[in-house]
């Protein structure tokens, strides 16, 4: 919902494309840290969790936007998620690594045990491919699922154009 709020701010002209980087690295990352604090303090259960088979029980976008941050990084590769030193030293700068650090803090075991999908993604050769794959996954697993989309508040700013009968979300134009 917070991202929908940001989309509305852009739609009415309060934000523009040049603000995207700052919005993600400053505003959204602060939002995520507050949400995580609430989740851990009050032991909030995720809605629609896929458990170990999802990216994160609570939040997908830090992985997508975090992989965007790493697309042109020379030293940190997708396989670097298995190096605790790299993750800890760079988590403050990169949302993807910060999200991994959070998972390691709240779950017991290795990433391959607690989050096998993230472990599998670490085998992809480039962040660009990871990023493209995560966008497709976000469109299908988040935006394309009624239990998630039903909570969006559609109106004149954030419109919903209903799909034609039988149309699949993957046939729609990308949002990013």
């Amino acid at each position: 919902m917070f991202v929908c709020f940001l989309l509305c701010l852009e739609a009415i002209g309060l934000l523009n494309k040049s603000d995207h980087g700052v919005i993600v690295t400053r505003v959204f990352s602060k939002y995520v840290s507050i949400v995580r604090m609430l989740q851990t303090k009050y032991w909030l259960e995720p809605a629609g969790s896929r458990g170990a088979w999802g990216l994160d029980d609570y939040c997908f976008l830090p992985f997508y936007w975090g992989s965007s941050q790493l697309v042109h990084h020379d030293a940190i590769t997708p396989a670097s998620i298995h190096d605790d030193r790299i993750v800890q030293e760079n988590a403050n700068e990169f949302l993807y690594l910060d999200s991994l650090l959070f998972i390691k803090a709240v779950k017991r075991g290795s990433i391959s045990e607690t989050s096998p999908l993230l472990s599998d993604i670490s085998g992809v050769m480039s962040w660009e491919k990871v990023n493209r794959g995560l966008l497709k996954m976000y469109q299908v697993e988040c935006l394309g699922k009624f239990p998630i989309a039903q909570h969006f508040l559609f109106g004149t700013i954030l419109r919903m154009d209903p799909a034609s009968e039988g149309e699949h979300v993957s046939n729609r134009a990308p949002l990013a």
Side-chain angles (χ1 to χ4, degrees), residues 67-76 127-128:
S67 67
S68 296
Q69 289 179 290
L70 291 161
V71 164
H72 298 294
H73 201 285
D74 294 331
I76 301 174
W127 285 112
E128 190 173 314

Side-chain angles (χ1 to χ4, degrees), residues 67 70-71 76-78 81 96 125-131:
S67 67
L70 291 161
V71 164
I76 301 174
T77 67
I81 71 161
Y96 196 98
M125 297 307 291
S126 72
W127 285 112
E128 190 173 314
K129 285 185 179 183
V130 169
N131 187 254

Side-chain angles (χ1 to χ4, degrees), residues 87-107:
V87 172
Q88 289 177 358
E89 288 177 1
N90 295 282
N92 287 336
E93 189 175 351
F94 299 105
L95 286 169
Y96 196 98
L97 301 180
D98 180 59
S99 297
L100 282 168
L101 203 58
F102 178 70
I103 289 172
K104 289 179 178 202
V106 297
K107 293 184 177 182

Side-chain angles (χ1 to χ4, degrees), residues 6 18 22 24 26 36 41 60-61 68 80 87 89 94 111 113 128 146 165 167 169:
L6 295 174
S18 66
V22 173
V24 169
R26 301 287 170 97
R36 287 178 181 158
K41 182 174 182 168
F60 190 104
L61 284 175
S68 296
S80 298
V87 172
E89 288 177 1
F94 299 105
I111 286 292
E113 294 170 345
E128 190 173 314
F146 179 74
E165 190 169 325
E167 181 182 12
V169 68

Side-chain angles (χ1 to χ4, degrees), residues 99 123 150 171:
S99 297
Q150 72 179 340
N171 296 335

